[in-house]
Amino acid sequence: MTGDLIFSELKGKWALGAFGGAAMVVAGLTAFLYRHSADDLAVSVRAGLEERHQLPPEQLLVGRETLSSSLVERLRDVPAPTSGTLPADPSAGQCAVTVVHGAAGTGKTALALHAAHRVKEHYPDGQLYVDLRGGTATPRDSGEVLEVFLRNLGTAQEDIPRNVDDRSTRFRSLTNAMRLLIVLDNAHSTEQIQPLLPVGAGCSVLVTSRRNLSAGNITRRHPLKVELPAEDQALAILSAMRAESASPRNPARPWTSLSSVTGFRWPCASSAGRSTHERT
């Protein structure tokens, strides 16, 4: 249509010149839009992948070799995801849930993150992490967590359902065919984590809690209990902390608590720190 207009208004070489110029403008504009659309898409994809890979940096873990090996083996044992109709009852799903429980300060989070980092390549669709603040007076609301998870998985804000049940259903639908690892750290109760559980066979959920949340049918594997370290383990932890504090990466690392490195809270930590600094 543009060519017809040009040739109807202009004649001979003027028409040819104008038509060629218009064609070059259109081609240049098309290339510009294509290039920038591709760049925007690449940025969007990278942002989406970053939003799905949320594991915090792992902490130094000492004296937990048996528990760590068992947990890594469990998390690596993930079958291929299967798409299809969601089960009417979420508890009938095939997602594997493991609960790591123990008293405050025993190193549950350190253990969980240590294992999660070693199996993350088995979950190429992402690793979602949330601190549920179960040890505080204000645990996280399941609906708010689901809103964040749905955004991480690419759901537009206006498409996120209003109530918890509908959000949970949407979450299970989105993750049904994924290989996804979800770390629910510091969980408060079974009621809190129940809406956050996917049902797909390719998904695994790693829960840490001060309580044993294996009651009922939310878990498919036996829970792991983390206890305070034995004397030889405690000595190994102190030795590791001495090496860590002397590292050039941490020239003035305070020894206020063993939990700062290992997750353990041990009464002698402060005195151990003072003796170390006195010698320096």
Side-chain angles (χ1 to χ4, degrees):
M1 187 172 182
T2 302
D4 294 339
L5 179 62
I6 290 174
F7 280 101
S8 67
E9 297 294 328
L10 301 174
K11 303 297 182 181
K13 62 181 181 181
W14 294 103
L16 289 174
F19 181 77
M24 291 180 64
V25 170
V26 171
L29 182 59
T30 301
F32 175 84
L33 292 175
Y34 177 83
R35 182 174 66 253
H36 282 267
S37 296
D39 291 343
D40 292 342
L41 178 60
V43 170
S44 177
V45 169
R46 286 196 298 271
L49 290 175
E50 289 174 0
E51 288 181 349
R52 292 190 189 183
H53 297 274
Q54 304 175 349
L55 292 180
E58 63 177 309
Q59 303 169 5
L60 177 65
L61 189 71
V62 179
R64 299 298 193 184
E65 289 80 6
T66 301
L67 283 174
S68 175
S69 297
S70 175
L71 190 53
V72 168
E73 184 177 355
R74 293 184 186 197
L75 294 174
R76 281 179 176 164
D77 182 22
V78 53
T82 56
S83 58
T85 304
L86 294 177
D89 182 0
S91 66
Q94 302 178 61
C95 171
V97 182
T98 299
V99 177
V100 176
H101 67 100
T106 52
K108 302 180 295 296
T109 297
L111 175 64
L113 292 179
H114 180 84
H117 275 280
R118 276 150 185 77
V119 301
K120 59 186 178 183
E121 69 277 4
H122 294 272
Y123 299 91
D125 291 317
Q127 309 90 39
L128 302 180
Y129 171 89
V130 62
D131 180 359
L132 294 174
R133 300 201 300 256
T136 71
T138 56
R140 291 286 297 271
D141 177 75
S142 302
E144 294 177 357
V145 175
L146 281 169
E147 180 179 355
V148 175
F149 280 176
L150 289 173
R151 288 204 307 266
N152 294 152
L153 295 172
T155 304
Q157 183 66 42
E158 60 270 19
D159 294 330
I160 296 178
R162 291 182 177 273
N163 64 68
V164 174
D165 290 341
D166 289 343
R167 289 180 179 183
S168 185
T169 300
R170 177 72 61 86
F171 179 66
R172 294 196 299 271
S173 178
L174 286 174
T175 59
N176 191 41
M178 288 185 176
R179 282 188 180 273
L180 192 69
L181 176 62
I182 302 171
V183 180
L184 304 178
D185 193 17
N186 200 16
H188 178 261
S189 65
T190 300
E191 292 73 23
Q192 183 190 38
I193 68 174
Q194 189 84 55
L196 309 178
L197 301 180
V199 294
C203 296
S204 290
V205 179
L206 180 54
V207 182
T208 72
S209 178
R210 297 181 184 181
R211 303 172 177 85
N212 182 0
L213 302 181
S214 60
N217 51 9
I218 69 165
T219 58
R220 301 291 178 269
R221 294 165 177 164
H222 293 297
L224 288 178
K225 185 176 183 180
V226 183
E227 298 180 318
L228 289 170
E231 183 178 353
D232 58 338
Q233 291 178 328
L235 291 174
I237 293 168
L238 281 173
S239 177
M241 286 196 67
R242 292 175 194 274
E244 180 77 4
S245 63
S247 169
R249 295 181 293 111
N250 302 290
R253 190 183 189 99
W255 280 42
T256 56
S257 171
L258 281 173
S259 62
S260 63
V261 175
T262 64
F264 300 118
R265 295 192 183 99
W266 206 38
C268 73
S270 296
S271 61
R274 287 194 299 271
S275 65
T276 300
H277 290 301
E278 287 170 359
R279 285 196 300 272
T280 59

